[in-house]
Amino acid sequence: MRIEISNSYDELSRKTADFIVNFINKKPDSILSFAAGNTPEKTFEYLVQYAREGKVDFSKCKFIGLDEWVGLGKEDEGSCKHFMHAKLFEPLSINPSNTIFFDACAKDLESECKRVDSFIEQNGPIDLMLVGLGMNGHIGFNEPGTPFDLYSHTVDLDDVTKEVGKKYFKKHMKLEKGITLGLRHLMNAKTAILIVSESKKAPVVKKVVEGDVTPEIPGSIIKIHSNGFLFLDRDAASMLSAPNK
Ligand code: F6R
């Protein structure tokens, strides 16, 4: 794993976007899976800007949704799908046929997992995953304790995720379950970036970097990825011991 520490959230976002642009320019038909949420928001802004400036073309890429709150869809403000469409796909005019998402409103969620897994099996592996880190160390909705060898699955959300997740919604939502790509997809991805900002994440970043590789801290898996990157801003890195900085 390579750690890169940026001086600010803006620099972190710009460097992450630069990395993605270089990646796509080398492989324009990349299969991508990006997290929703606050952390990648500015990276997406840069990606949209770069695309408008003609520095990158996403039209041949395929985007696989990382995760979703069970029961929510594209029309629900705060859902992952809503976020990805609003912040990335619509500004980039991505053809909907190039996006593959779990239908988290489906009755048969197991079939949804199988459908997305089959797509990845037939078209993958995923070239590049950009994932965020939960306050509890989760990646996607791979909550603490999730085995590293799972593909897509549904999950009973951790209490921390239910509490923190309220920030995405204007109205009260009952957040109980999630559907997510598994950590095996992350391990199989050719390149994986874990992006983390803000001082509130500094304690969990310290666990990721200086603790054991363990399912109790799913983010720690980035240390055993064959091409894993941990991109931090100074605040997220603020509790790391000097040799890691
Ligand atoms: C969202 C996702 C989550 C977030 C994580 C950090 O699609 O996969 O794992 O990446 O909860 O969220 P933020 O960036 O909002 O702090």
Side-chain angles (χ1 to χ4, degrees):
M1 173 190 69
R2 278 223 331 253
I3 304 184
E4 281 219 21
I5 301 171
S6 298
N7 287 316
S8 64
Y9 173 63
D10 186 69
E11 185 183 304
L12 168 72
S13 307
R14 189 173 38 73
K15 282 189 176 166
T16 307
D18 288 345
F19 184 104
I20 294 170
V21 166
N22 285 334
F23 193 97
I24 306 299
N25 285 338
K26 282 191 199 125
K27 189 169 189 292
D29 61 347
S30 289
I31 300 183
L32 308 168
S33 182
F34 295 165
N38 296 146
T39 316
E41 193 166 350
K42 190 133 196 117
T43 300
F44 294 170
E45 282 176 29
Y46 275 113
L47 290 178
V48 170
Q49 181 191 319
Y50 291 159
R52 288 187 177 145
E53 291 168 357
K55 292 180 180 156
V56 63
D57 174 10
F58 287 95
S59 63
K60 294 194 178 68
C61 295
K62 294 226 179 322
F63 294 84
I64 301 180
L66 175 61
D67 52 4
E68 190 55 273
W69 310 94
V70 165
L72 301 191
K74 186 181 161 198
E75 305 315 320
D76 296 297
E77 204 175 332
S79 72
C80 299
K81 199 169 180 181
H82 185 279
F83 180 92
M84 294 305 294
H85 275 268
K87 303 289 177 186
L88 202 63
F89 302 155
E90 281 160 23
L92 289 176
S93 303
I94 298 296
N95 187 329
S97 67
N98 285 340
T99 67
I100 298 95
F101 270 82
F102 295 114
D103 175 359
C105 298
K107 278 214 179 92
D108 186 353
L109 294 171
E110 284 312 306
S111 296
E112 281 302 295
C113 292
K114 284 190 189 130
R115 181 175 64 79
V116 173
D117 284 349
S118 307
F119 178 87
I120 297 171
E121 200 181 323
Q122 283 160 28
N123 300 277
I126 298 171
D127 292 295
L128 175 63
M129 288 184 74
L130 174 67
V131 294
L133 187 67
M135 292 294 289
N136 59 0
H138 77 196
I139 283 187
F141 282 143
N142 291 275
E143 301 285 34
T146 306
F148 285 172
D149 61 354
L150 290 191
Y151 288 111
S152 299
H153 58 280
T154 56
V155 50
D156 292 327
L157 296 171
D158 187 84
D159 287 343
V160 174
T161 302
K162 290 184 207 170
E163 188 56 35
V164 174
K166 289 178 187 166
K167 69 178 174 172
Y168 302 119
F169 302 97
K170 288 195 185 119
K171 54 183 184 191
H172 173 75
M173 292 297 223
K174 211 165 164 4
L175 305 171
E176 292 293 340
K177 282 179 156 287
I179 183 165
T180 184
L181 296 187
L183 294 172
R184 194 141 178 199
H185 290 300
L186 186 88
M187 284 305 274
N188 290 347
K190 290 186 193 158
T191 299
I193 305 171
L194 177 57
I195 181 174
V196 197
S197 66
E198 293 193 84
S199 54
K200 67 181 183 192
K201 302 259 181 86
V204 67
V205 166
K206 190 173 176 67
K207 286 184 192 161
V208 164
V209 176
E210 296 173 8
D212 293 337
V213 174
T214 165
E216 293 314 313
I217 304 288
S220 64
I221 199 172
I222 198 70
K223 294 198 286 192
I224 53 169
H225 192 282
S226 57
N227 196 28
F229 295 83
L230 178 59
F231 287 176
L232 306 172
D233 65 6
R234 210 172 36 199
D235 291 343
S238 58
M239 288 177 72
L240 294 181
S241 313
N244 292 308
K245 290 193 182 175

